[in-house]
Amino acid sequence: MAQVEKKGGLLRKSSASKKPLKEKVVLMYDEIFVTEDPSKCNPRFWEELFLMKVNLEYLEGKLESLDGEELMKIKDNINCLFQRCIQALGEDHPIRVVNALQTLCALIRGVHQKNKSTSGFDIINMLMGFDKAELCMKNLMESLDALLCSEGSESLKSLCLKLLLCLVTVTDNISQNTILEYVMINSIFEAILQILSSLPSRREHGYDAVVLLALLVNYRKYESVNPYIVKLSIIDDEATLNGMGLVVAQALSEYNRQYKDKEEEHQSGFFSALTNMVGSMFIADADEKISVQTNEAILLALYEAVHLNRNFITVLAQNHPEIGLVTMPESPVPTTPVTPLGTTPPSSYVVSPVDLPLDADVQTSNLLITFLKYSSIVMQDTKDEHRLHSGKLCLIILTCIAEDQYANAFLHDDNMNFQVNLHRMPMRHRKKAADKNLPCRPLVCAVLDLMVEFIITHMMKEFPMDLYVRCIQIVHKLLCYQKKCRVRLHYTWRELWSALINLLKFLMSNETVLLAKHNIFTLALMVVNLFNMFITYGDTFLPTPSSYDELYYEIIRMHQSFDNLYSMVLRLSTNAGQWKEPASKVTHALVNIRAIINHFNPKIESYAAVNHISQLSEEQVLEVVRSNYDTLTLKLQDGLDQYERYSEQHKEAAFFKELVRSISINVRRNLAFNTLSQEALLKEFSTIS
């Protein structure tokens, strides 16, 4: 007994000569951990147990302290406790319900900790017994569903969601959690939807509900029919979809606000003054200190909604007052400390379009803008693993959006113009942009800005090849839509062209280092084909004829970069090495770019010689270009406006498996004792006799 007394459940510390007193509930737990049925000596044992305040730490610790053989000896008592908890959930006395929910959390976590190396089947047997598992889980899920859908206590609903999150994340790999088979059969999908569609419930529980749904959708998603995937894909209820979008928008907005606050605090501090004095030599180190934990859990929920449900695309453009600029009319939910991967809900409740009228003086926003701002922050630093995962997921979400016809329609809509203040990485050679001077433009301009920003800020030794490929693919898909629908977008295309050429220069100057790790010709081919897209179809989507002239000017001005690229790929394509085939593809793709350079360069040199000008101005070069189009011969290239559509199962399964594993671990870690504390619950029910 002395060893057990050290585990916890002591009322006070005592001297070595005196035995410390134990709580009544701890003594009752000790009775469960003997082989005898505790109700034999006390017929009211179970009734009394659920009136006692739960000692989570002691109960979990006791389960963990037993070895496998000892645990099997008391299996009947654990099964009985589990069943008694489920029975208590149906009682009218809320204190019993609270304590039953708490006890279930402790049982599930404690048995899991003891059985980490065993299969989910062993955990089911230990908690319920195989013969009673199906009925137990049916009753449990029905009780939780009833509590979540009732008009009762919001605190009880919160505890139900915590229990479900505990149940789902009990194993690191949720697809190995066999208990979830019963959660698939006895669906709580409708209860989650009800929470999201109701404003009061969404304020209190929206975050936990969305994270729970995102995790359930990922249970064995590639191996069997997951009913949560099927149901999520066909939701068409506007209130539910908007509710889900607002929960995601609030969580991402909270992240953006925290980052902005830290950035302002950082810039106004002593270090900022020092940086201004000595230049920008420390800027990289300074920026590393501005870090807010990323939120992969909520980002996964956004991805699943965008990827699975086409109706959700409309939610991306749903206008609301910019969260963070509006004074909330009610007190916020108590703040919980932020934890890794953003598994803690944001401190303010979600703003609904019906909560507040749109004010002419308040900047309107939408989920897509909030997401783009979030992306611009997390994509700045991809050296950190969580940010790398977040950055990749942001680009995957943008890929899905760029492929969607309806999404493209509102992205390119001239009547939907916004100021989008993207975060830009501090760099020595450029000044910080003034947010107030940003023009209102169609949202696709912000997407392109984000892609350009990524391209120019990540040319480094640890080259994120995968992210660059995704980035170029997004630009290409947007151009395909513009070409198909003849959308003439007024955008500063020169910035994109310049970024792409600089990327090619980087690939060439770091050829040896990069080729040791990556096939850089795949990326080079994609970049060259973007230029081919502009050359071949630019007259159908560039805003003015002068924009097309400027494209030729940039190619001619930077001809040395294209010449060097051609020399490099020609060298490798004529050798019998591993890069022969990919390099030769780039060689063929450069045919029109080289034709432009070889056609116009002699004419420009001739113009300069005739007019005795040593260096031509941009306007003079453009004049030569315009007057010599008719003699230029270009080769028609096929397939420039075609692309392979995004497919999760075939290409991204490993990434999502690891991502969901990471989220599961952190959600479980975040369900700490303090978040399951019943102090607030007991206070709420203190008036009930």
Side-chain angles (χ1 to χ4, degrees), residues 12 43 57 71 97 172 195 202 212 219 222 225 237 245 280 315 369 379 381 390 406 431 442-443 472 501 532 603 621:
R12 65 166 185 259
E57 189 173 4
L71 204 58
V97 179
D172 295 351
I195 288 168
R202 187 170 69 243
L212 175 63
Y219 174 70
Y222 310 120
V225 177
D237 179 64
S280 302
V315 175
I369 292 173
M379 284 164 60
D381 177 19
S390 254
Y406 180 78
K431 293 180 180 177
L443 285 169
I472 302 300
I501 292 168
N532 286 330
K603 290 178 170 45
V621 173

Side-chain angles (χ1 to χ4, degrees), residues 392 395 454 463-471 473 518 652:
K392 181 172 178 176
L395 289 172
F454 181 84
F463 188 68
M465 172 64 81
D466 178 59
L467 301 191
Y468 266 98
V469 168
R470 293 174 193 278
C471 187
Q473 285 173 338
H518 310 289
E652 312 296 347

Side-chain angles (χ1 to χ4, degrees), residues 382-383 388 454-455 457-469 472 502-504 506-507 510 513-515 517-520 523-524 527:
T382 55
K383 292 173 187 173
L388 180 65
F454 181 84
I455 291 168
T457 55
H458 289 77
M459 298 180 213
M460 52 195 180
K461 192 188 295 182
E462 293 298 321
F463 188 68
M465 172 64 81
D466 178 59
L467 301 191
Y468 266 98
V469 168
I472 302 300
N502 284 330
L503 175 56
L504 289 176
F506 175 81
L507 294 178
N510 295 276
V513 175
L514 292 175
L515 275 178
K517 297 179 181 178
H518 310 289
N519 176 3
I520 61 173
L523 183 58
V527 172

Side-chain angles (χ1 to χ4, degrees), residues 4 8 13 31 49 51 73 83 97 127 222 258 261 377 411 428 461 494 522 573 592 665:
V4 174
K13 290 183 179 179
E31 289 187 54
L49 179 67
L51 288 174
K73 285 179 181 176
Q83 290 163 29
V97 179
L127 286 173
Y222 310 120
Q258 288 178 17
D261 288 350
I377 296 170
L411 280 175
R428 297 185 187 96
K461 192 188 295 182
R494 268 191 170 182
T522 303
S573 63
N592 281 344
I665 291 167

Side-chain angles (χ1 to χ4, degrees), residues 82 106 663:
F82 196 88
I663 292 169

Side-chain angles (χ1 to χ4, degrees), residues 13-137:
K13 290 183 179 179
S14 64
S15 64
S17 60
K18 293 182 180 178
K19 283 191 175 182
L21 297 173
K22 281 188 176 183
E23 296 175 62
K24 174 77 179 290
V25 73
V26 169
L27 294 170
M28 296 185 81
Y29 290 155
D30 287 344
E31 289 187 54
I32 295 170
F33 286 99
V34 294
T35 52
E36 292 290 324
D37 179 355
S39 60
K40 277 186 179 178
C41 299
N42 179 5
R44 293 178 56 82
F45 179 87
W46 299 111
E47 290 178 48
E48 291 175 10
L49 179 67
F50 293 116
L51 288 174
M52 301 286 171
K53 180 182 173 182
V54 178
N55 189 324
L56 282 161
E57 189 173 4
Y58 183 85
L59 187 52
E60 281 190 49
K62 184 70 175 174
L63 284 164
E64 289 176 46
S65 70
L66 300 175
D67 62 35
E69 195 176 319
E70 289 173 321
L71 204 58
M72 282 306 295
K73 285 179 181 176
I74 59 161
K75 175 185 163 297
D76 290 345
N77 282 359
I78 292 174
N79 291 170
C80 187
L81 175 58
F82 196 88
Q83 290 163 29
R84 292 284 182 170
C85 287
I86 295 170
Q87 288 174 20
L89 295 181
E91 295 195 20
D92 294 331
H93 202 309
I95 296 294
R96 291 184 188 277
V97 179
V98 169
N99 288 330
L101 289 167
Q102 297 270 12
T103 305
L104 283 168
C105 284
L107 271 177
I108 291 165
R109 282 154 51 122
V111 170
H112 161 70
Q113 288 296 324
K114 192 67 206 168
N115 290 268
K116 274 186 176 178
S117 60
T118 61
S119 70
F121 292 105
D122 292 324
I123 294 173
I124 290 171
N125 189 35
M126 185 54 64
L127 286 173
M128 302 166 254
F130 286 134
D131 54 335
K132 297 175 182 172
E134 192 171 330
L135 182 61
C136 270
M137 286 304 298

